[in-house]
Amino acid sequence: MAIDLRSLTITSWCEQLASGEARAIDLVAAYQVEITRRNGELNAYLEVFDDARAAAEESDRWVAAGKAPRPLEGVPLAIKDNILIEGEICSAASKMLASYRATYSATVINRLRQAGAIILGRTNMDEFAMGSSTENSAFGPTRHPNDPTRVPGGSSGGTAAAVAAHLALAGLGSDTAGSVRQPASFCGLVGLKPTYGAVSRFGLIAMASSLDQIGPITKTVADAEIIFSVIRGRDDLDATTVEYPRPQEPLPVVADLRLGVPENLISDRVSEAVKQNFDQALEVWRALGVKVVPINLPRLVDALAAYYIISPAEVSSNLARFDGMRYADRVTAPTLLEEYERTRGEGFGQEVRRRIILGTYVLSSGYYDAYYRRALVARAFLTADFLDAFKQVDAVVMPTTPSTAFALGEKTISPLQMYLADIFTVPANIAGLPALTLPQGEDEQGLPCGFQFITPLFREDLLFYLGKQHANLSA
Amino acid sequence: MIKQEEVVSLAKLARLALPVTEVEKLCRDLESILGYVASLKVETSRSSVATQVRALVDNSLRFDIAPHRAGIYTERLLAASPETHSGYFVVKPIFTDHGN
């Protein structure tokens, strides 16, 4: 039977599968046709895996044998190229790891496969997840599916473009400062940054370990919930994970909800279209009897500054392991030190080099107190501000991004301008909180805007509840 | 003002060979980024830091035991390296015998 990829969701696919109307092999074949048709233009996938059809046949055999379909039975996914899949190249979109084959699979990959998912391929990204546009890839930029002259956002831009262009049913990205939510918002999708410690990072190539989280990019909130329920939970191989707690509080009825708007951050930092769409959504919430209240998060404006100290500091440490001795290619030179320097200098791209130098600077003797220590304090204060805010409101709401998708090359000249694209997403990473973006209207050129909810730690249940209500309002 | 010598010295610390043409641009970029992050105005007395950070961190430790049987990944890990010899990674010698 013909499959309409445009309207298909994980939920509707599972219904078709349960009724015996569908086969995974047909779905995978349909996506592969679309990938062949569009990937040359979009550059969303760096590689499409040969074994996807075999995995689909195995899934079909599982169902044909009368076994109950698993939560992601036959669901074809796109995976960001910094998540290890055993036997496959995992390059983090870097020349440094262009030929590196993963020696094991990430915990999230094992969990997805155990749930019946099929991995279609690995997707493009900003090199080592550093960027907000997917232009910093050693393998060329990814383009926005609605307008190829624009970026899809980043750093998980390949996954977002693949899902938005119907080249995968859903996918995984990683979010260190907004790298799931910002591209999801640019591409009109749902993106989840889980609570720090909710999802294992074992097998994720580390960027900034106190901030990184893996999260789904999907077409609907319900789909994000399904993937999250599969990948979440304690993993003995990642000491930062915890047993995912059962909800302690019941979900509030809509009329009792209180949403907090940090007006001090939003006021003059967003485009007119983003502001209009955001205000329109708040009006709809108010019409339902929800209390939309201004909240004071005085340190929120510090989040991005703290991020650009903490993150490069961790980057300079995490990326020290790439020296050409144990992974990938080595540039030979007369001495060991020169081999390190030349391998790293030639293997890393410009943005990665910039952040390593910045991280080395803020950690160096004499500057540690002025930068790194100050950033840690700001981080603690910001987290305390959020905890206070959640005594008054159920969720904090903000636009996901200051603008809609920008043009290729528009922000590559000034790194600071590129960094400012993360101003609304970075606070959740700094405070470790869960956050969800979902589509909220379009600008005059038809490019999607995003609406973001942030809830207390481990309250993804509340995020999904709010997100589903919000999607119904917008429908 | 970040000087070019500082960037060169930082690159040395980070074991990173920088193209000469990039040093000047890096000075400008760092200047602009550090100017922005300098907007952080917070109390940084040591006691305040310790209290604030301690309140956030709940260390999770695991038992110091081997997560898997020794040697089961050795071949695969070595296969990812540019050069190996008899089950070891090959690196250039750090000490030479010039002094002998």
Side-chain angles (χ1 to χ4, degrees), chain A residues 285-345:
Chain A
W285 277 110
R286 282 195 191 97
L288 291 174
V290 171
K291 305 274 185 304
V292 178
V293 294
I295 47 163
N296 188 22
L297 285 164
R299 309 276 175 179
L300 204 57
V301 289
D302 291 341
L304 194 67
Y307 174 82
Y308 276 101
I309 296 170
I310 293 168
S311 162
E314 295 184 17
V315 160
S316 71
S317 168
N318 268 330
L319 270 60
R321 74 191 69 175
F322 301 109
D323 55 12
M325 300 301 124
R326 286 155 296 166
Y327 315 101
D329 301 323
R330 176 189 300 176
V331 179
T332 51
T335 68
L336 182 63
L337 183 60
E338 284 171 280
E339 281 195 351
Y340 288 152
E341 290 173 343
R342 290 191 52 196
T343 298
R344 289 164 60 75

Side-chain angles (χ1 to χ4, degrees), chain A residues 168-443:
Chain A
L169 189 44
L172 287 187
S174 63
D175 192 315
T176 305
S179 282
V180 161
R181 289 162 288 154
Q182 187 252 20
S185 174
F186 276 12
C187 292
L189 299 166
V190 172
L192 170 72
K193 197 293 278 184
T195 305
Y196 188 80
V199 175
S200 168
R201 290 99 46 86
F202 178 72
L204 170 71
I205 296 177
M207 175 188 163
S209 300
S210 77
L211 301 155
D212 298 338
Q213 273 291 286
I214 293 172
I217 295 177
T218 58
K219 291 181 188 169
T220 68
V221 176
D223 286 2
E225 187 174 16
I226 294 169
I227 293 182
F228 176 68
S229 68
V230 167
I231 62 174
R232 74 182 188 192
R234 184 182 162 81
D235 176 15
D236 286 342
L237 299 170
D238 177 354
T240 64
T241 56
V242 296
E243 205 63 58
Y244 194 78
R246 288 177 180 279
Q248 297 295 311
E249 297 169 40
L251 292 165
V253 295
V254 171
D256 289 343
L257 281 170
R258 292 174 67 88
L259 301 178
V261 183
E263 289 172 350
N264 64 320
L265 186 70
I266 298 168
S267 57
D268 56 352
R269 290 182 171 85
V270 294
S271 72
E272 196 52 41
V274 169
K275 176 132 185 45
Q276 271 180 14
N277 280 300
F278 181 70
D279 288 343
Q280 204 177 343
L282 295 182
E283 276 311 308
V284 179
W285 277 110
R286 282 195 191 97
L288 291 174
V290 171
K291 305 274 185 304
V292 178
V293 294
I295 47 163
N296 188 22
L297 285 164
R299 309 276 175 179
L300 204 57
V301 289
D302 291 341
L304 194 67
Y307 174 82
Y308 276 101
I309 296 170
I310 293 168
S311 162
E314 295 184 17
V315 160
S316 71
S317 168
N318 268 330
L319 270 60
R321 74 191 69 175
F322 301 109
D323 55 12
M325 300 301 124
R326 286 155 296 166
Y327 315 101
D329 301 323
R330 176 189 300 176
V331 179
T332 51
T335 68
L336 182 63
L337 183 60
E338 284 171 280
E339 281 195 351
Y340 288 152
E341 290 173 343
R342 290 191 52 196
T343 298
R344 289 164 60 75
E346 292 177 30
F348 291 138
Q350 194 178 36
E351 179 61 24
V352 176
R353 293 198 294 268
R354 180 158 43 224
R355 295 206 200 184
I356 290 174
I357 295 285
L358 180 59
T360 308
Y361 180 89
V362 299
L363 289 177
S364 54
S365 172
Y367 296 113
Y368 181 91
D369 280 345
Y371 291 103
Y372 190 69
R373 187 176 293 278
R374 192 183 283 186
L376 288 185
V377 178
R379 181 178 201 172
F381 281 137
L382 175 65
T383 307
D385 281 357
F386 267 111
L387 296 180
D388 278 349
F390 289 132
K391 289 175 189 162
Q392 307 160 44
V393 297
D394 297 291
V396 172
V397 293
M398 285 188 272
T400 311
T401 58
S403 72
T404 53
F406 45 86
L408 283 155
E410 186 180 324
K411 294 185 193 284
T412 45
I413 300 160
S414 161
L416 186 57
Q417 283 308 307
M418 186 72 86
Y419 297 172
L420 288 168
D422 294 333
I423 194 156
F424 298 131
T425 47
V426 80
N429 300 79
I430 288 288
L433 298 166
L436 182 82
T437 180
L438 67 167
Q440 174 56 48
E442 295 173 344
D443 69 5

Side-chain angles (χ1 to χ4, degrees), chain A residues 144 146-147 149-150 273 404-407 442-449:
Chain A
H144 195 289
N146 296 12
D147 178 353
T149 67
R150 292 177 185 274
T404 53
F406 45 86
E442 295 173 344
D443 69 5
E444 58 282 357
Q445 288 156 309
L447 294 164
C449 302

Side-chain angles (χ1 to χ4, degrees), chain A residues 86 103 325 339 353-354, chain B residues 22 29 60 76 81 92:
Chain A
E86 186 179 340
T103 51
M325 300 301 124
E339 281 195 351
R353 293 198 294 268
R354 180 158 43 224
Chain B
E22 200 171 295
D29 291 348
S60 163
R76 271 185 276 172
S81 169
K92 282 208 158 57

Side-chain angles (χ1 to χ4, degrees), chain B residues 42-53:
Chain B
V42 289
E43 171 56 47
T44 55
S45 76
R46 281 170 191 277
S47 60
S48 142
V49 177
T51 312
Q52 292 289 336
V53 175

